[in-house]
Amino acid sequence: MKIGVLALQGAFIEHQHMLDRLNVETIDVRLPEQLDAISSLIIPGGESTTIGKLAEAYNFMVPLQQFAQKKPIWGTCAGMIFIAKHLDNHHQPTLGVMDIMVQRNAFGRQVDSFITSLDIPELTTYSPEPFPCVFIRAPAVLDFGPSVQILSRLPDDSIVAVKEKHFLATAFHPELTDDLRFHRFFLDMTINHHKNF
Ligand code: GLN
């Protein structure tokens, strides 16, 4: 079992460090051929317009869409934007695979970044405490299709973590914390997906 981290741009090394701590073998994916060797893929935070442009330049779009039909993907922050089917007010290359409408930079310039702890019921199987969520020019989910499960909201009701079948998306950055539970959750999603496939 190997988990890939898309390494075109952004915070991919931090995800690898988290997976290292879980003793999961990782591949930093820089070429479409490498998708064949992995069981699931993390698309990191960074700048979604840059990730989209590089994905087009390196001929990743079609291989990634085919990958998405078969294997789990987790998008964090810019990665959430990149996998969304719909964006509010932005035209940029996206994979368009997860049935969510996402607003980029949903928290405005004044609150560029913030950290807050949120209760995420799905993670309490690992341990009960709230999860530390790091938001950096973060997006939020404005709307979603019937198969989407909401994992977490901010106190103002903004939706910031969602799951749809084998897709996971978080507006915040679990890879910038010490808490391994979200990575463990995605690892379990990957294991279960391949068991049932
Ligand atoms: N604001 C960035 C974007 O729109 C995302 C920021 C992040 O990934 N931390 O792509």
Side-chain angles (χ1 to χ4, degrees), residues 44-49 76-79 81 92 104-105 136-139 173:
E47 186 53 47
S48 59
T49 46
T76 54
C77 203
I81 299 165
Q92 61 188 70
R104 289 182 65 192
N105 304 318
I136 305 168
R137 294 183 304 284
H173 291 267

Side-chain angles (χ1 to χ4, degrees), residues 1-7 12 15-16 19 24-30 34-44 64 67 71-75 183 186 190:
M1 158 98 44
K2 289 181 193 156
I3 295 186
V5 185
L6 191 66
F12 51 89
H15 277 294
Q16 287 169 353
L19 295 168
V24 179
E25 212 179 317
T26 61
I27 294 189
D28 40 324
V29 176
R30 294 168 196 275
Q34 292 174 294
L35 294 172
D36 295 335
I38 54 174
S39 305
S40 65
L41 177 71
I42 297 177
I43 302 182
L64 277 175
F67 183 92
K71 295 179 184 176
I73 297 182
W74 173 18
H183 288 78
F186 185 62
T190 304

Side-chain angles (χ1 to χ4, degrees), residues 77-96:
C77 203
M80 170 193 257
I81 299 165
F82 185 60
I83 64 175
K85 273 196 182 153
H86 311 283
L87 296 189
D88 175 52
N89 258 330
H90 280 92
H91 297 283
Q92 61 188 70
T94 59
L95 271 193

Side-chain angles (χ1 to χ4, degrees), residues 8 11 13 17 25-26 31 35 38 51 75 83 102-103 105 119 122 124 129 140-141 150 154 193 196:
L8 296 176
I13 292 162
H17 290 162
E25 212 179 317
T26 61
L31 294 169
L35 294 172
I38 54 174
I51 292 175
I83 64 175
V102 172
Q103 180 182 16
N105 304 318
D119 285 318
E122 293 286 330
T124 55
E129 65 277 8
V141 176
I150 296 171
L154 284 170
H193 180 80
N196 299 328

Side-chain angles (χ1 to χ4, degrees), residues 131-156:
F131 192 86
C133 299
V134 180
F135 291 84
I136 305 168
R137 294 183 304 284
V141 176
L142 292 185
D143 204 0
F144 51 90
S147 48
V148 174
Q149 179 192 357
I150 296 171
L151 301 185
S152 182
R153 292 179 189 261
L154 284 170
D156 73 357

